Amino acid sequence: MNHAERYESLITKLSSMRWRGGELDCSYQAALYLMASHPVLAEKVERYFSPDGIDFGGLMKKEEFDYDWMKLTADAARNLFSWNSKCAATPFEISRMPAPAIQAIYTSFFIANGDYTVSVRENEDGKKVFVMDDSAGREREKIRQQFDRMLADIGAEMG
C-alpha cells in the first residue's frame, strides 16, 4: 500500500467506528495523513482506534518506534489531533528527519489549518494518489490581503 491507500484505509476504518460517525474534521485528517505516511506508523495508530476517536496517549506510552523520526512524526500527529499536547517535534528536530517525513509534517500543518482539503483518487494507472485542494487557503489569503489593503487605506487617510 502507498501513502494515499493507507490514508484512505485509516480514514474509512475510523469513520465507520466512531460513535458520532460522519466526516472526520481537519485535526483527524492531519493526524491520519501523518500516521499513514509510513506503513509501520499506520499499523500502530490503527491499534488505538476506538468509537471515541484515537488514543494517542496510549500509543505514545505503549508503542516503541524503530527510528526517532517515527516517534517525532507520531508526536506531531498527536499534537495536531489534540492541539494542547506537549510536542517534541521542534523545528530543529524536524530539520533532522528524512525529507519525506518533513514534507508529510509540513503538509499536515496545512491540512490541520483547513488550508488543504485532502481526497484520494485513482490516477490513469489505477494507482491511488492524493488530491490536495488548496482553494480554502487561497480564499483566506485573498481576504487577508483585502483586509491589509483596507487598513493601509485607513492609515493613509488618517496620516
Side-chain angles (χ1 to χ4, degrees):
M1 266 200 229
N2 68 23
H3 187 182
E5 291 167 328
R6 288 188 299 272
Y7 173 80
E8 185 177 57
S9 175
L10 292 175
I11 288 284
T12 300
K13 286 175 185 174
L14 187 57
S15 294
S16 67
M17 178 184 288
R18 288 192 30 188
W19 295 119
R20 292 178 219 101
E23 295 272 329
L24 300 176
D25 68 24
C26 54
S27 296
Y28 276 99
Q29 293 171 20
L32 293 177
Y33 178 85
L34 268 181
M35 295 305 287
S37 67
H38 192 276
V40 171
L41 293 173
E43 183 181 309
K44 287 182 187 299
V45 76
E46 191 174 347
R47 290 184 221 148
Y48 295 88
F49 284 2
S50 76
D52 293 324
I54 306 169
D55 179 10
F56 269 105
L59 183 146
M60 297 306 292
K61 287 178 191 166
K62 296 175 185 171
E63 293 292 330
E64 291 187 23
F65 297 89
D66 297 337
Y67 301 101
D68 288 343
W69 68 265
M70 286 183 166
K71 186 170 185 174
L72 288 171
T73 300
D75 193 37
R78 175 187 188 184
N79 185 261
L80 289 171
F81 175 74
S82 67
W83 305 348
N84 60 1
S85 65
K86 296 238 184 219
C87 187
T90 65
F92 175 80
E93 294 295 333
I94 292 169
S95 74
R96 301 307 188 254
M97 296 171 73
I102 294 171
Q103 183 177 8
I105 284 180
Y106 284 112
T107 300
S108 72
F109 294 167
F110 291 106
I111 296 167
N113 194 42
D115 290 330
Y116 286 4
T117 303
V118 184
S119 58
V120 176
R121 69 166 177 83
E122 283 189 19
N123 66 11
E124 56 279 349
D125 298 327
K127 181 179 172 187
K128 299 267 182 158
V129 294
F130 285 111
V131 176
M132 300 288 186
D133 178 1
D134 67 345
S135 59
R138 284 187 285 122
E139 185 61 27
R140 262 195 295 284
E141 179 60 19
K142 190 168 112 183
I143 291 168
R144 187 195 63 75
Q145 288 174 355
Q146 290 172 340
F147 186 73
D148 287 349
R149 282 192 296 275
M150 183 180 73
L151 288 177
D153 291 346
I154 290 172
E157 289 176 9
M158 297 180 88

